């Protein structure tokens, strides 16, 4: 049986400065999430990363039953947790540059990009072949890591993947072999009669 997995990147509040923190969703993010609830594929099992951002996204989607999955958690930012990108750049510019260019670097004493990629790939490969259709609300880093792993790309490509809030990526797989599944554009006319 083929496993069909859709990863949904969690909603994000409007922030002026990127922060390495789990911040709650604002009203705008919750409205945007509710607006897409009916557009997601059906699922036999729904997962959420344990962060506030992901669990609030799942709740706004109207999910009653969701499995919290620790393997889908965000990057452990170690000593940079709760700091803004600007604060890290000012206090540890060399460390930030190393972290964003060397996937094995962990100057914050948290997780490296390579470690995150391995963690997410291990979770994907551990899914049972009869899991069916799965839907998971995840962090940006997890969606990036999944793409890197499925494509067999080097960890350096992690930073080359843009994952906007509320975007999805789909995978199909069986027996530890995963494929990226691209979406289709609707052929329905836009604006009425076409």
């Amino acid at each position: 049986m083929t496993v069909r997995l859709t990863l949904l990147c969690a909603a994000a509040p409007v922030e002026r400065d990127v922060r390495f923190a789990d911040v709650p969703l604002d009203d705008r993010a919750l409205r945007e999430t509710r607006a897409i609830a009916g557009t997601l594929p059906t699922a036999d099992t729904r997962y959420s990363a344990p962060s506030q951002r992901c669990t609030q996204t799942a709740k706004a989607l109207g999910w009653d039953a969701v499995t919290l999955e620790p393997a889908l958690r965000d990057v452990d930012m170690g000593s940079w947790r709760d700091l803004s990108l600007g604060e890290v750049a000012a206090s540890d510019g060399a460390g930030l540059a190393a972290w964003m260019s060397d996937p094995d670097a962990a100057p914050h004493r948290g997780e490296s990009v390579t470690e995150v990629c391995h963690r997410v790939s291990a979770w994907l490969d551990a899914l049972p072949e009869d899991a069916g259709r799965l839907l998971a609300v995840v962090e940006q880093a997890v969606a990036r890591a999944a793409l890197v792993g499925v494509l067999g790309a080097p960890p350096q490509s992690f930073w080359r993947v843009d994952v906007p809030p509320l975007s999805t990526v789909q995978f199909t797989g069986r027996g530890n072999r995963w494929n990226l599944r691209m979406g289709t554009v609707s052929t329905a006319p836009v604006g009425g009669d076409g």
Side-chain angles (χ1 to χ4, degrees):
M1 172 182 240
T2 298
V3 177
R4 298 187 186 286
L5 171 65
T6 301
L7 299 181
L8 170 68
C9 187
V14 175
E15 294 184 60
R16 295 184 180 186
D17 198 8
V18 174
R19 186 166 290 279
F20 298 121
D22 182 19
V23 294
L25 299 180
D26 56 21
D27 289 336
R28 180 202 50 83
L30 292 169
R31 276 192 311 276
E32 289 175 356
T33 302
R34 286 190 289 270
I36 69 157
T39 67
L40 296 171
T42 59
D44 301 313
T45 305
R46 294 177 176 148
Y47 292 99
S48 174
S51 69
Q52 179 176 213
R53 179 176 43 243
C54 288
T55 58
Q56 285 182 319
T57 299
K59 185 175 181 180
L61 290 169
W63 295 2
D64 294 328
V66 63
T67 301
L68 292 183
E69 178 52 64
L72 300 178
R73 70 190 178 278
D74 205 357
V75 179
D76 176 356
M77 295 307 296
S79 62
W80 294 351
R81 182 167 175 74
D82 295 327
L83 297 178
S84 71
L85 184 60
E87 290 168 333
V88 172
S91 66
D92 188 9
L96 182 61
W99 184 64
M100 295 192 71
S101 61
D102 177 0
D104 295 320
H108 45 59
R109 295 179 301 284
E111 278 182 299
S112 70
V113 166
T114 299
E115 289 170 327
V116 174
C117 290
H118 287 301
R119 170 171 41 95
V120 173
S121 289
W123 180 77
L124 285 169
D125 291 343
L127 289 171
E129 290 187 23
D130 63 349
R133 295 179 182 273
L134 310 174
L135 186 53
V137 177
V138 299
E139 303 289 348
Q140 274 185 325
V142 170
R144 284 179 173 151
L147 280 163
V148 167
V150 165
L151 295 175
Q156 292 88 342
S157 59
F158 178 88
W159 295 112
R160 299 286 187 199
V161 179
D162 287 331
V163 184
L166 299 178
S167 62
T168 61
V169 62
Q170 295 182 331
F171 304 104
T172 57
R174 181 181 326 144
N176 296 342
R177 181 173 182 262
W178 290 93
N179 299 305
L180 175 62
R181 182 166 192 224
M182 303 303 290
T184 58
V185 176
S186 172
T187 57
V190 177
D193 297 285

